[in-house]
Amino acid sequence: MTQTTTGSLSGWLGLILVFTSIGRVAAQETQPAPSSTQQSAVQAAAAASVQKTKKVKQEYTGRTTLVVLPPTPMLDEEGKQRQDPDDKLMFNPPVRQQRDKKGHPLFDAQRQPVMQTKDNLGYDENGKKLHASKEKARKTVSLSISRGTLTVDGMTGKAALNYEIKDLKYVYFYVPGIGTTVVSNDPFPGAVEQKNAFDDKTLTVTVGQHVLQLSSDNRLLGKTPQSAFVLVDKKFSVPAKFPVMGYGPIRVAPYAWPGSNDNVELKGAVKAPALPADLRPALLLQPCPQGQMRMAGPPALPGQIAAPPPCVTIVPAVSRTTNANQTAPPTGNAPATK
């Protein structure tokens, strides 16, 4: 019994193995072969992955530093280098080389650096497009002085002033004994506001106990009164005996006096026109010695300077009376002598 059961089990296992192998072979025979289109797609995908891998591994080996041109002088309309209000020379900002979209320095076909322009700044180091900032044009204020007169405490110090200031920055008044007064219509460091200083045809500022006033035949600024900002520099002086007026863009000494080169650079004295002879103040004469006096001389003609009269000896009044009594003839009322 045992032998029969064992033989039947082994036979059944053999039959199962035979049917399993037959099913695998049939499944392999019925499975279709891959087409040529599928094979080409697989190949293209493989090539793309290889190319992508190469791009990732590729590194930039070109130049990394930008070319920067040095700053150039900033010139005015006359071709002279501009100066800031602190008397420092002004320069244009340095020009830099552009960057490409990847942030690398940009070169042209001839391998020359492409520099930034006003309208094209290129890209930054991260590949972001740069845009030029729009600067608002500064508003300029003009000042016209026609047949102007500068007075100090009501006395005329300068006359016949004619200036056409296209861009008002600072006006300077130098008065001997007071110093240099810097005036502007805009606030600046160290200046003190004086309200309603610009009033129609006059500019009036107070310096200590003195009043400086500039008058013109036409309106100076606007129709309504405006403030002036005043700074007094007592240390800076001009080699002149009379008041001097000027204007310019500098608010520190030696300022910018218009006119001749000597006046600008302060190499020579600033000469004012002499007053007429009949308007010059009469100086007190030295006192005469004891026992002498000055007699009134003849009046001087217009435009002439009268010569100082000489000192003469004073005759005592008593001596003259005695001599007169001795020499006087007898009067008619005296009795006649026989």
Side-chain angles (χ1 to χ4, degrees):
M1 289 294 292
T2 303
Q3 294 179 355
T4 306
T5 303
T6 303
S8 61
L9 288 175
S10 60
W12 282 104
L13 291 174
L15 291 174
I16 291 173
L17 293 174
V18 171
F19 282 112
T20 302
S21 60
I22 294 173
R24 290 179 179 176
V25 173
Q28 292 179 357
E29 291 178 354
T30 57
Q31 185 177 3
S35 61
S36 60
T37 305
Q38 294 177 348
Q39 292 179 357
S40 60
V42 172
Q43 294 176 357
S49 62
V50 173
Q51 186 176 3
K52 184 177 180 180
T53 304
K54 291 182 178 180
K55 288 185 178 180
V56 173
K57 293 182 179 180
Q58 186 178 4
E59 296 181 358
Y60 177 76
T61 58
R63 187 171 181 174
T64 57
T65 58
L66 297 177
V67 177
V68 181
L69 300 180
T72 56
M74 185 180 297
L75 306 179
D76 57 10
E77 295 78 5
E78 299 179 356
K80 298 180 181 179
Q81 188 171 4
R82 295 182 181 274
Q83 294 174 305
D84 63 3
D86 293 327
D87 198 21
K88 296 180 181 179
L89 298 177
M90 300 180 65
F91 295 86
N92 296 311
V95 181
R96 300 177 179 276
Q97 184 182 3
Q98 294 187 26
R99 294 180 182 269
D100 57 16
K101 294 182 178 180
K102 297 181 180 180
H104 303 147
L106 182 61
F107 296 88
D108 57 13
Q110 288 74 29
R111 301 300 301 167
Q112 296 297 325
V114 179
M115 309 305 294
Q116 292 179 343
T117 60
K118 181 179 180 180
D119 301 325
N120 188 5
L121 300 178
Y123 300 84
D124 62 6
E125 60 274 8
N126 299 321
K128 185 178 180 180
K129 181 67 176 178
L130 297 176
H131 300 280
S133 59
K134 296 182 180 179
E135 297 181 358
K136 294 183 179 180
R138 189 182 62 86
K139 183 179 179 181
T140 60
V141 177
S142 60
L143 180 67
S144 177
I145 303 173
S146 175
R147 298 178 63 184
T149 302
L150 174 62
T151 60
V152 181
D153 297 332
M155 299 182 62
T156 301
K158 198 77 172 178
L161 298 172
N162 296 279
Y163 293 104
E164 290 293 337
I165 307 175
K166 297 181 180 180
D167 187 6
L168 175 62
K169 294 293 183 60
Y170 304 98
V171 178
Y172 318 121
F173 299 114
Y174 170 74
V175 179
I178 297 178
T180 301
T181 304
V182 184
V183 182
S184 177
N185 63 322
D186 290 328
F188 64 95
V192 178
E193 181 180 7
Q194 296 190 14
K195 296 184 179 296
N196 302 328
F198 288 97
D199 190 0
D200 196 18
K201 298 180 180 181
T202 60
L203 167 61
T204 307
V205 296
T206 302
V207 182
Q209 299 178 352
H210 303 279
V211 177
L212 310 182
Q213 186 177 78
L214 172 66
S215 61
S216 174
D217 285 354
N218 50 16
R219 183 180 292 115
L220 295 178
L221 291 181
K223 296 181 180 180
T224 59
Q226 300 183 26
S227 298
F229 298 87
V230 183
L231 172 66
V232 181
D233 186 357
K234 297 182 180 180
K235 297 181 180 180
F236 180 78
S237 62
V238 177
K241 299 179 180 180
F242 301 93
V244 180
M245 175 186 171
Y247 69 94
I250 310 300
R251 61 169 176 247
V252 295
Y255 308 103
W257 300 91
S260 63
N261 292 332
D262 289 343
N263 199 6
V264 174
E265 301 177 6
L266 298 180
K267 293 181 180 179
V270 181
K271 296 182 180 179
L275 293 175
D278 53 349
L279 295 181
R280 297 176 185 176
L283 300 179
L284 295 177
L285 299 177
Q286 294 292 334
C288 294
Q290 187 176 4
Q292 296 183 1
M293 64 177 295
R294 296 183 188 275
M295 303 297 293
L301 298 176
Q304 292 183 347
I305 301 177
C311 295
V312 296
T313 304
I314 300 176
V315 179
V318 177
S319 175
R320 287 188 300 176
T321 303
T322 304
N323 294 336
N325 292 334
Q326 293 178 355
T327 57
T331 59
N333 295 330
T337 57
K338 294 183 180 179

